[in-house]
């Protein structure tokens, strides 16, 4: 939902459930069903790209990469959010209250590069047994004086 709340954006995490599930209105999400993660910077388009990236930190729980490619005057930011076996945070998360135990923030490499316009899981590119991911920056080299795009593999 990158265009919600003046394009500050939102991501909704819905827990899996065996069997039948009724329709869910995200505006009425309860902690038993899932939670929302809300961007805070107007026009950042938090949630533009959301990727399940596997267990990046090796704790046995899957992690998620969420981008806000128009944050910080279009430089872009991506949030690697660590999964938790037991979700013990408030029912919703405001990304402005980010702390180091929640994960890692990746800032764009140059001004207006729109870092995070696309994010993907990339498998295990370096053979260390942990999954890797890529963050796209379509205008990274353009603002550095070249006319090519860039992908950062992390």
């Amino acid at each position: 939902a990158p265009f919600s709340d003046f394009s500050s954006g939102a991501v909704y995490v819905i827990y899996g459930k065996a069997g039948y599930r009724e329709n869910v209105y995200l505006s009425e999400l309860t902690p038993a069903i899932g939670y929302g993660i809300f961007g805070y910077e107007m026009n950042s388009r938090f949630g533009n790209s959301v990727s399940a990236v596997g267990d990046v930190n090796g704790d046995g729980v899957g992690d998620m990469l969420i981008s806000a490619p128009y944050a910080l005057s279009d430089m872009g930011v991506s949030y690697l959010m660590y999964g938790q076996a037991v979700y013990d945070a408030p029912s919703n998360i405001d990304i402005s209250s980010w702390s180091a135990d929640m994960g890692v923030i990746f800032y764009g490499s140059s001004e207006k590069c729109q870092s995070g316009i696309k994010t993907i899981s990339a498998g295990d590119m370096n053979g260390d047994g942990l999954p890797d991911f890529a963050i796209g920056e379509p205008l990274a080299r353009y603002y550095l004086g070249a006319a090519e795009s860039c992908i950062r593999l992390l």
Side-chain angles (χ1 to χ4, degrees):
F3 298 105
S4 69
D5 197 20
F6 300 105
S7 294
S8 58
V11 171
Y12 296 94
V13 176
I14 312 300
Y15 301 127
K17 177 184 176 188
Y20 178 77
R21 180 193 301 261
E22 295 288 332
N23 292 336
V24 175
Y25 293 90
L26 296 177
S27 62
E28 301 171 6
L29 199 62
T30 65
I33 297 171
Y35 59 96
I37 308 167
F38 298 95
Y40 67 94
E41 184 181 337
M42 196 163 91
N43 296 320
S44 68
R45 296 196 184 158
F46 176 81
N48 186 79
S49 183
V50 180
S51 300
V53 292
D55 181 15
V56 174
N57 62 344
D59 66 356
V61 182
D63 304 317
M64 174 171 49
L65 189 63
I66 305 169
S67 75
Y70 299 101
L72 304 176
S73 299
D74 295 351
M75 180 172 71
V77 177
S78 294
Y79 300 86
L80 174 62
M81 181 170 256
Y82 298 144
Q84 298 179 8
V86 177
Y87 187 72
D88 57 7
S91 58
N92 291 313
I93 297 171
D94 186 326
I95 212 70
S96 66
S97 64
W98 186 269
S99 60
D101 62 327
M102 295 171 72
V104 179
I105 300 174
F106 295 90
Y107 296 93
S109 65
S110 62
E111 65 175 282
K112 300 192 182 303
C113 68
Q114 298 177 356
S115 184
I117 196 85
K118 180 70 176 166
T119 61
I120 63 166
S121 176
D124 183 8
M125 299 296 292
N126 60 356
D128 65 356
L130 295 173
D132 303 314
F133 54 90
I135 299 173
E137 295 186 333
L139 300 178
R141 297 188 41 103
Y142 178 80
Y143 282 95
L144 294 175
E148 301 97 16
S149 295
C150 186
I151 294 176
R152 306 278 178 206
L153 181 64
L154 304 165

